[in-house]
Amino acid sequence: MKWIYSVSLAVSLAMQPAFADTLSGPHPMTEQARDAYVNQLLSKMTLDEKIGQMRLISVGPDTPKEAIRDMIQHGQVGAIFNTVTRPDIRAMQDQVMQLSRLKIPLFFAYDVVHGQRTIFPIPLGLASSWDLDAVSEVGRVSAYEAADDGLNMTWAPMVDVTREPRWGRGSEGFGEDTFLTSQMGSTMVKAMQGKSAADRYAVMTSVKHFAAYGAVEGGRDYNTVDMSPQRLFQDYLPPYKASLDAGSGGVMVALNSLNGTPATADSWLLKDLLRGEWKFKGITISDHGAIKELIKHGVASDPQEAVRIALKSGIDMSMSDEYYSKYLPGLVKSGAVTMAEIDDAARHVLNVKYDMGLFNDPYSHLGPKGSDPQDTNAESRLHRAEARDVARKSMVLLKNWRETLPLKKTATVALVGPLADSQRDIMGSWSAAGVAKQSITLLQGMRNAMNGKGTVLYAKGANISDNKGIQNFLNLYEQAVSVDTRTPQQMIDEAVAQAKKADVVVAAVGEAQGMAHEASSRSELALPASQQKLLAALKATGKPLVIVLMNGRALTLVNEDKLADAMLETWFSGTEGGNAIADVLFGDYNPSGKLPVTFPRSVGQIPLYYNHLPTGRPYNFEKPNKYTSHYYDAINGPLYPFGYGLSYTTFTVSPVKMSSRTLPRNGTVEASVTVTNTGKRAGATVVQMYLNDPVASLSRPVQELRGFKRIMLQAGESQTVRFKIDAEALKFWNQKMQHVAEPGKFNVMIGLDSVRTQDAQFDYL
Ligand code: NOJ
């Protein structure tokens, strides 16, 4: 773990744990010092205290603050999550220091997935920026705000590759591509952990959900995952590995089973692979209630068995499930579980606490008591400029017929749709400690941009959905979606009346926050019927129609693509979303985002992803043949391909130039193109480099992303973009599960999306 070596030793000796006599600090941040310290500490701990360290709990109805106080006093808890203010965290750490025997500090964790107080675009939106500097910015600011709230760990990044738009959790990840997700995940880890997770404004990351959660069958959350070892190693595992190589101190284990074994019970995954082959030294944490769920998975007959299997499989810490505390003492007594196994798990917990600097200063992320913010939600604690900057970069222009966009600020704009003025939805799922009231809606953003020069006429136009079942689902735990009690026709009439008075109509449609979340799988990917009816009525006015999408997954938009004069994908863009969308709509920012997922035409095409294998009977659009691979009632391709996104300017890409026709074994070859901005305004775009191995010992994907570069060009400017290719980029897992690059011809494809590319070839010798 790279991050543990370079910490500044800000030591608060007064706060030293009780065994400071023998284990006195300061404690240097080296593995050797850590191992010696933790071994000594373990030697002083009782079995119950060790088991206590392996328990992670959340304050809630089942475990109120008083119960936690009692558990702290008796050394029965190792870490807390979902407590997010400095006073609350301080109170618990105080209890540890005042009441517990060994005064082993707690660590505090939370789902800081795309921001803490300031909410950035959802990760799927962030991925659309293809901008690693933007990822770093999100990571740094999120870690700063989280650490400033007293947190030590985040349950992020989520690097589950997914080809399943029906799965609501795709919103939390970086899309369908392995290479892009690996780059984003590892960048996020480095940014959040900084030089050391012990630094005042860094937090430790826990990569999730290990492994392959994004491949749940049918896109139904928590469902089965079953796949070939080649696909697992080639497409699904690399982002976890990249994030761990970047130094992530934690791993959250997935809820799904993989090839029949629940991840929580998978000793091959958690021990042989993670610790054995990948040399992971940090902590593994089960997901919420996952140890109990081993019974329902059908691999344990009772709680004792579930606990024994989870521990022996490599789960160090249990999240929100009392089984470890309840059953491990008995299992040790009966000999079913050894003391060495308990020591191992407890050691991993203590190790990360050491790496977080908590043994040097349990209050390292809290500071002195008087420094707590007066108002946790104070405006001054937000990073609005950074949020707006990143949100603008995350937007993808899908269509712009006859330059409908950008709009004029002097225009009269009818802004309609259930998402046009929703402060909550624009924040997206897992918006951590973000406060909806602090977010800027599109209505507010447009007003800010127009600044009285033009007029915005607003009407809601439709409810998110008129389906009572869906409304109830969204409002199950709280009033998340407000349902207008007027009839659908009354709402549409109002919107149409506004549209008729306007020069242009902007319709903000898509999904409510709760539609793209954990446990929010969908079997349909169309806009809800209420919103489709609204769009049809708006189109009928004859006014130019701009569709602004807010959603957390790829949708099926064939009809919308026909209706819209322009369409902008904004995902859920966060605290500054409304301002950022207005920046794009009015041309203060030229859109540059590119899709990190394929947009299918219909649900029936799923899974539809760009890096698929060839078939023996490929369909030829120009020469159709019945006995080829296709649907007889639909075309094969996507509506919008992976990597796609327009700009207000135009670019050309030159033919590919190869530095050589051959790539020697230990060398490199360079592929380059010259990109020219042929339009009238400056703009950024993303140059994408794909490779293909046309003849190999296994069928290889028709193309795979192996490089990308985001560039900014003034009108008329050209830039040569170079990609170095080495044997590593050609490797794949063969039938014998060896990671090899096979000699032969390779195709290089470079373009501004995955379809329109310039192609060249080289030979790998
Ligand atoms: C369950 C989710 O699967 C996981 O992603 C999350 O981090 C935990 N709950 C904690 O909130």
Side-chain angles (χ1 to χ4, degrees), residues 56 58 81-82 110-113 154-156 158 160 169 172 206 208-209 213 221-222 252-255 286-289 319-320 430 518-519:
L56 166 76
S58 163
F81 79 111
N82 283 348
Y110 196 42
D111 287 282
V112 186
V113 178
T154 169
W155 309 136
M158 192 278 224
D160 302 327
R169 303 203 73 173
E172 299 169 47
S206 26
K208 68 187 187 184
H209 305 81
Y213 187 20
D221 209 359
Y222 317 123
M252 188 186 291
V253 179
L255 292 163
S286 61
D287 201 348
H288 205 117
M319 183 193 289
S320 280
W430 297 108
E518 182 181 348

Side-chain angles (χ1 to χ4, degrees), residues 124-131 180 184 389-399 567-571 584 589-597 640-648 651 683-688 710-711 752-753:
L124 194 58
L126 183 54
S128 307
S129 73
W130 295 55
D131 184 342
L180 184 62
M184 298 250 150
D389 173 53
V390 175
R392 307 187 321 173
K393 291 177 177 159
S394 72
M395 288 168 196
V396 187
L397 184 62
L398 299 174
K399 181 176 179 183
M567 185 142 66
L568 182 70
E569 175 57 83
T570 71
W571 310 108
V584 174
Y589 183 82
N590 186 355
S592 55
K594 302 280 183 176
L595 293 178
V597 283
Y640 303 121
F642 177 81
Y644 169 81
L646 304 171
S647 162
Y648 294 154
F651 299 97
T685 189
V686 181
V687 190
Q688 304 158 36
R710 197 171 184 280
I711 55 168
L752 305 181
D753 61 49

Side-chain angles (χ1 to χ4, degrees), residues 372-394:
D372 289 355
Q374 300 254 309
D375 173 8
T376 300
N377 297 320
E379 182 59 37
S380 59
R381 300 187 80 215
L382 300 185
H383 292 82
R384 287 192 181 272
E386 291 84 347
R388 183 166 176 169
D389 173 53
V390 175
R392 307 187 321 173
K393 291 177 177 159
S394 72

